[in-house]
């Protein structure tokens, strides 16, 4: 994404607590209206005097091209593909509420685009390169732009200073195919090398040991447990395990992701 020095970032809104390599090969996504309200409240509560959530983002979401997948800005045209991608036994999505059926997917996309318009998320469709099939969705969210003082080298930055990755889910056929690894490599590369963020964080259900282990394997640092943090897929007050990657750690994380990707 190109950012103008004169124009404030224009953006996007929804969530992502990435669960790289969870038992479903995807991340958590939130579908229900009350969850959306809870996330908006969470965003408001998390604001501090040192930073603010990005209120406006310039232009469109990025188009990120890989060998296996292409991450496209989420649009209404992706609805039918997402309906097909999610048409699996709902029990497969143990930790991640995923929309099933045309009505649910349409509402999912509508909400994602409304968050995009309000400036807190960059929703993306995951498209398989070999056949152009939509195989899932993901997004950047909780974009932060810090209030750097005048005279500071970072004053006037229009790109986010920090963000989360999450709301990632995949079709069963895309699980354990390298799609999730490459999607996260593309997103993290964009975050650290184009936006030049200082931190990317992830939240996963504390019970999801597979996801926690996968995040640790790529070099994300465990920061602790947030108690009763969000509503879980099974409708309880979920404890979340928080992980993060800071800019200084990105080269090693990138090396690990490339090594995993090259094993495919």
């Amino acid at each position: 994404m190109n950012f103008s020095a004169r124009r404030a970032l224009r953006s996007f809104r929804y969530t992502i607590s990435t669960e790289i390599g969870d038992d479903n090969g995807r991340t958590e996504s939130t579908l229900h209206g009350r969850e959306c309200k809870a996330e908006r409240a969470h965003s408001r509560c998390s604001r501090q005097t040192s930073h603010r959530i990005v209120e406006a983002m310039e232009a469109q979401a990025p188009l990120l091209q890989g060998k296996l997948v292409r991450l496209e800005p989420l649009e209404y045209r992706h609805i039918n593909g997402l309906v097909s991608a999610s048409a699996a036994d709902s029990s497969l999505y143990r930790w991640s509420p995923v929309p099933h059926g045309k009505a649910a997917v349409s509402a999912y996309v509508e909400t994602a685009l409304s968050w995009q318009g309000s400036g807190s998320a960059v929703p993306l469709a995951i498209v398989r390169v070999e056949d152009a099939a939509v195989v899932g969705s993901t997004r950047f969210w909780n974009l932060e732009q810090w209030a750097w003082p005048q005279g500071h080298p970072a004053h006037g930055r229009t790109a986010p200073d920090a963000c989360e990755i999450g709301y990632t889910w995949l079709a069963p056929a895309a699980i354990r195919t390298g799609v999730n690894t490459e999607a996260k490599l593309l997103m993290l590369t964009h975050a650290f090398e184009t936006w030049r963020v200082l931190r990317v964080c992830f939240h996963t259900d504390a019970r999801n040991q597979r996801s926690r282990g996968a995040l640790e394997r790529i070099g994300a640092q465990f920061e602790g447990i947030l108690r009763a943090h969000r509503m879980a897929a099974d409708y309880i007050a979920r404890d979340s395990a928080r992980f993060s990657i800071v800019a200084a750690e990105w080269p090693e994380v990138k090396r690990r992701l490339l090594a995993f990707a090259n094993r495919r």
Side-chain angles (χ1 to χ4, degrees), residues 43-119:
S43 295
R44 288 195 297 272
C45 291
S46 66
R47 297 181 194 183
Q48 301 174 1
T49 56
S50 61
H51 72 275
R52 61 183 173 83
I53 303 301
V54 173
E55 295 176 351
M57 249 191 158
E58 183 191 75
Q60 66 281 357
L63 175 66
L64 305 178
Q65 181 70 53
K67 294 179 180 179
L68 299 177
V69 297
R70 180 173 61 253
L71 304 184
E72 300 178 353
L74 185 66
E75 298 176 1
Y76 292 109
R77 65 184 176 87
H78 293 114
I79 288 176
N80 288 338
L82 291 171
V83 171
S84 297
S86 65
D89 182 351
S90 59
S91 65
L92 178 67
Y93 302 100
R94 181 180 180 188
W95 305 109
S96 309
V98 171
H100 293 281
K102 186 73 172 282
V105 170
S106 296
Y108 179 87
V109 172
E110 181 69 33
T111 303
L113 294 179
S114 72
W115 283 43
Q116 169 178 317
S118 65

